Amino acid sequence: MLAEQNPQVEKAVVRLMELSADEKTRLVYESRHKMEWDNWARERAAMQEGVQKGILETARKMKMDNIPLDIIRKYTDLPAATIRAL
């Protein structure tokens, strides 16, 4: 086992066992973990939304410059109907 080969890992495993044995501490840990996960998910969604807005804006500018639809599709991966609607 890895813990037996590395004293630091063994210390961490022992501490983890101590913490998980205490229900209150475990609940606090799980609550904190959920909060961190939720924050990460919100940040990721916001980044994805920003990227999508940037792609749409780029496609809109390309369309205004009379770049052919197939070229805009190639570089933005947007459906033709979305580009036409811009």
Side-chain angles (χ1 to χ4, degrees):
M1 184 170 170
L2 182 62
E4 294 169 352
Q5 298 172 1
N6 187 325
Q8 291 175 329
V9 173
E10 183 176 8
K11 184 177 178 181
V13 168
V14 169
R15 183 68 178 139
L16 178 61
M17 296 298 221
E18 291 170 355
L19 292 175
S20 63
D22 176 19
E23 184 175 352
K24 182 179 177 184
T25 303
R26 185 176 44 77
L27 291 174
V28 168
Y29 166 80
E30 288 173 358
S31 175
R32 182 179 294 162
H33 181 71
K34 183 182 181 324
M35 181 183 68
E36 289 172 357
W37 176 261
D38 290 346
N39 287 340
W40 176 85
R42 275 191 295 276
E43 289 172 8
R44 180 175 166 91
M47 286 190 315
Q48 288 174 332
E49 182 180 337
V51 167
Q52 188 63 23
K53 284 181 180 180
I55 290 170
L56 289 170
E57 181 63 17
T58 299
R60 186 185 67 75
K61 289 178 180 178
M62 293 172 80
K63 185 178 176 187
M64 288 175 56
D65 286 343
N66 295 316
I67 295 176
L69 180 72
D70 59 324
I71 300 296
I72 299 173
R73 286 183 63 215
K74 177 180 178 181
Y75 289 103
T76 64
D77 287 328
L78 292 172
T82 300
I83 297 167
R84 284 189 201 100
L86 294 173

